[in-house]
Amino acid sequence: MSLDTVTDIATSGVGFTLPILVAASGELVSERAGVLNLSLEAMMLTGAFAGVLGAVTTGSPVLGVATGVIAALIFGALQAIWSIGLRADQIVVGIASNALALGATTYGARLLLADGKGHTVPGFDALRIPVLHRIPVLGPALFGQTALGYLCIVVVAVSAFVFSRRTKLGLMIDAIGEDAVAADRTGLPVKAVRYGCVLLAAFAAGLGGAQLALSEVHSFSDNMTGGIGYLAVVAVIAGRWRALGVIWASVFFGLAQALQFALPALGVDVPFALLVMLPYLIAIIAVSGLVGSSRSPRDLTVAFARTS
């Protein structure tokens, strides 16, 4: 295998990793607060569709990103109202949201984008950092991103720092995710924090969807996320609800996604179904305890109701 081929795989892997990673960084905070967003897929798909629609309509990829994030935030607000305000089952809400987003974006693409035909989608071009871009293999992959790609990296880094378990805010989120009733009795604003965490997850998912559509593909197609939102949720579980673990899990899943296309092109005879299932198989192994202990936040998916 030549160096150029390895570089191409690494670049493709980072391209798949960034949407997963930025979405997972927001989902990590939400799950630590006790709210599971299976609707992350819906938020990413909506963000991708609205991002392309906004970019095509205004001619500006920046406004396209803003449109995509706002659309994802609307989905996030609905998720928060249903699962936190109305105390609906978080898993049912997530599945219903994903079905709704798939139908709405498919219809919207055919109605407003004509399946992308005849539309030139303004997107982001690569911004290569001098010198660093020339580092073998990792240089083009890490230092040849678009402006939106660099923004995603910054969002992940800032989120990992601000919401870490060494900050007051991070400890507050963990306390609510472990025992919301006890946290409420100490005066912590349980519902407000959970609303904020879900909206953060929606923001990150919308950014990830826009990154996929406007930086990687420069178009929109039906169900273009193809389960990336689910992979982001799985990355949080496989990463054991810790920022560093989530980063490594997202990198692994991104490379696994890239290998689905790279290995057949290289003539490697590996069943495609095996490559598709590999990230989920690793996630099952991670949560089974075979590679170490793993425990979710105790109140994850548990609706909060104030007791007298």
Side-chain angles (χ1 to χ4, degrees), residues 66-303:
T67 304
V69 169
I70 291 172
L73 284 171
I74 292 173
F75 246 104
L78 292 174
Q79 162 87 25
I81 291 171
W82 287 330
S83 61
I84 301 173
L86 301 178
R87 290 185 288 166
D89 186 284
Q90 295 174 16
I91 296 176
V92 173
V93 169
I95 294 173
S97 297
N98 292 336
L100 175 61
L102 178 59
T105 55
T106 299
Y107 177 73
R110 294 176 182 175
L111 181 66
L112 301 174
L113 296 175
D115 288 332
K117 297 175 183 176
H119 292 290
T120 300
V121 179
F124 293 90
D125 296 323
L127 296 177
R128 295 178 175 85
I129 298 178
V131 182
L132 294 178
H133 174 260
R134 299 183 179 278
I135 297 174
V137 182
L138 292 181
L142 297 178
F143 304 109
Q145 294 296 318
T146 64
L148 182 55
Y150 292 124
L151 176 61
C152 288
I153 294 173
V154 170
V155 167
V156 171
V158 171
S159 177
F161 174 76
V162 172
F163 301 105
S164 74
R165 290 177 169 84
R166 296 185 179 182
T167 66
K168 181 179 179 180
L169 183 56
L171 291 174
M172 181 191 303
I173 290 171
D174 281 346
I176 291 172
E178 286 297 322
D179 193 333
V181 173
D184 178 66
R185 288 173 178 170
T186 64
L188 295 181
V190 174
K191 286 191 174 182
V193 170
R194 285 188 168 182
Y195 269 103
C197 290
V198 171
L199 291 178
L200 174 65
F203 168 81
L207 199 62
Q211 162 69 13
L212 179 65
L214 297 178
S215 288
E216 301 298 331
V217 184
H218 288 215
S219 67
F220 179 83
S221 58
D222 295 350
N223 193 28
M224 73 174 299
T225 50
I228 290 179
Y230 289 114
L231 280 179
V233 175
V234 171
V236 175
I237 299 171
R240 303 179 192 175
W241 294 274
R242 296 185 178 277
L244 186 59
V246 171
I247 290 173
W248 282 115
S250 298
V251 169
F252 176 82
F253 294 160
L255 289 174
Q257 291 283 91
L259 288 175
Q260 293 178 24
F261 304 95
L263 291 183
L266 294 173
V268 179
D269 187 16
V270 177
F272 181 75
L274 177 61
L275 294 175
V276 172
M277 66 177 269
L278 189 57
Y280 302 98
L281 178 61
I282 296 298
I284 292 173
I285 295 173
V287 301
S288 67
L290 295 178
V291 292
S293 61
S294 176
R295 185 181 71 83
S296 66
R298 194 173 71 176
D299 272 8
L300 182 62
T301 74
V302 177

